[in-house]
Amino acid sequence: MPFTSHYLSCAGREIHYTEWGSQHRETVIAWHGLARTGRDMDEVAEHLSARYRVICPDTLGRGLSQWSPDPVNEYKLSFYVEIATALVDQLGLERFHWLGTSMGGAIGTLAAATTLRGRIRRLILNDNGPKLAEPALERIRAYAGQPPAFERMTDLEAFLRVVYQPYGWLSDAQWRRMAETSARRLPDGRITTHYDPAMAQQFVHHPNDYDLWEAYDSLDIPVLCLRGESSDLLLPETAEEMRTRGPRAVVVTIPGCGHAPALNVPDQWELVERFFAAGDARASPA
């Protein structure tokens, strides 16, 4: 994969990110979902890197980023926005696009409404909206807060294939890479998922963190919402309301998947690229 790996201190915490297409000026921040890592963005980042610089962070407590020493006060959207702001400041980014899957979309929404207002040019919410279905949140809480441990890597892969079946079609190689980039060893040698289970405390200590209608309604930038056809997190009525409120998002339904589209196939890449290109100074007139 043609990317490079980097670390920065952001809001006092070490944050890891991968960088693609460093030769380009126009930039996309691609932010992953709740219990995932920036490596989920590999396929879409590789595609976009033909035209854009793409930055794919690991959120605090995920992947290769530092785990929080203060879970109650740092595993929450406002602190993630603080980290994101410090990240783009240190990268020297004045204006950029944002692509966020699930939690990454919520971070983008809140950032665009607050500390990064006027700097996020276009926002893509991948199966995320300003109101999320409570039964789906409960499902996510159940598996994210108590990750299982396995003796073998192939067992972890089998687990991920079940939990993330709603992502839609992935090749065998993509499932294997997901397992390998999602794994960490426990002291007893078993394998578990590569995140701090304490990050799920966000739902206990900040139960209204994902109620973002006020932030969403304040946005004045183009927004594209990609909704998984069978998503149980972003309900059809919420997506429909997003069309008529605030920035009046364009909503596209992605067939064959639920929460959330994996952004790993050409049809999905083209939706992302076309939306960003419409706001690119170099794009030719429609």
Side-chain angles (χ1 to χ4, degrees), residues 58-119:
D58 289 341
T59 307
L60 181 73
R62 284 78 158 181
L64 299 177
S65 288
Q66 181 179 351
W67 288 18
S68 174
D70 185 6
V72 171
N73 294 308
E74 294 187 356
Y75 288 142
K76 60 182 181 180
L77 291 182
S78 60
F79 194 68
Y80 301 155
V81 168
E82 188 176 341
I83 286 172
T85 303
L87 179 71
V88 298
D89 284 349
Q90 290 183 72
L91 292 173
L93 303 179
E94 289 301 318
R95 302 195 71 210
F96 45 89
H97 302 304
W98 188 288
L99 166 61
T101 291
S102 192
M103 178 194 70
I107 297 170
T109 297
L110 186 58
T114 56
T115 57
L116 296 180
R117 178 174 288 276
R119 295 174 67 180

Side-chain angles (χ1 to χ4, degrees), residues 31 35 47 58 83 117 127 148 155 195 203 207 230-231 254 264 286:
W31 210 293
H47 177 80
D58 289 341
I83 286 172
R117 178 174 288 276
D127 213 60
D155 294 332
Y195 63 82
F203 298 103
S230 58
S231 175
I254 306 298
N264 65 323

Side-chain angles (χ1 to χ4, degrees), residues 63-223:
L64 299 177
S65 288
Q66 181 179 351
W67 288 18
S68 174
D70 185 6
V72 171
N73 294 308
E74 294 187 356
Y75 288 142
K76 60 182 181 180
L77 291 182
S78 60
F79 194 68
Y80 301 155
V81 168
E82 188 176 341
I83 286 172
T85 303
L87 179 71
V88 298
D89 284 349
Q90 290 183 72
L91 292 173
L93 303 179
E94 289 301 318
R95 302 195 71 210
F96 45 89
H97 302 304
W98 188 288
L99 166 61
T101 291
S102 192
M103 178 194 70
I107 297 170
T109 297
L110 186 58
T114 56
T115 57
L116 296 180
R117 178 174 288 276
R119 295 174 67 180
I120 295 178
R121 299 169 58 193
R122 285 178 166 249
L123 173 64
I124 296 181
L125 305 176
N126 184 26
D127 213 60
N128 175 263
K131 180 177 176 57
L132 305 179
E134 185 56 37
L137 287 174
E138 184 57 40
R139 171 180 61 80
I140 293 169
R141 281 194 290 265
Y143 76 76
Q146 298 180 316
F150 305 96
E151 298 292 338
R152 302 179 299 178
M153 179 66 74
T154 50
D155 294 332
L156 173 63
E157 181 180 326
F159 167 76
L160 294 174
R161 283 176 179 255
V162 172
V163 171
Y164 295 109
Q165 183 274 335
Y167 274 26
W169 179 88
L170 276 76
S171 68
D172 287 342
Q174 288 168 347
W175 282 118
R176 178 59 48 84
R177 193 206 71 239
M178 178 189 283
E180 291 177 348
T181 59
S182 300
R184 63 182 175 90
R185 290 276 181 188
L186 294 169
D188 64 7
R190 292 183 301 161
I191 300 166
T192 190
T193 45
H194 209 328
Y195 63 82
D196 179 3
M199 62 84 179
Q201 293 180 19
Q202 176 184 18
F203 298 103
V204 176
H205 300 293
H206 310 283
N208 299 317
D209 230 10
Y210 288 89
D211 295 340
L212 293 173
W213 275 120
E214 183 178 357
Y216 178 83
D217 286 340
S218 77
L219 300 183
D220 58 358
I221 57 174
V223 175

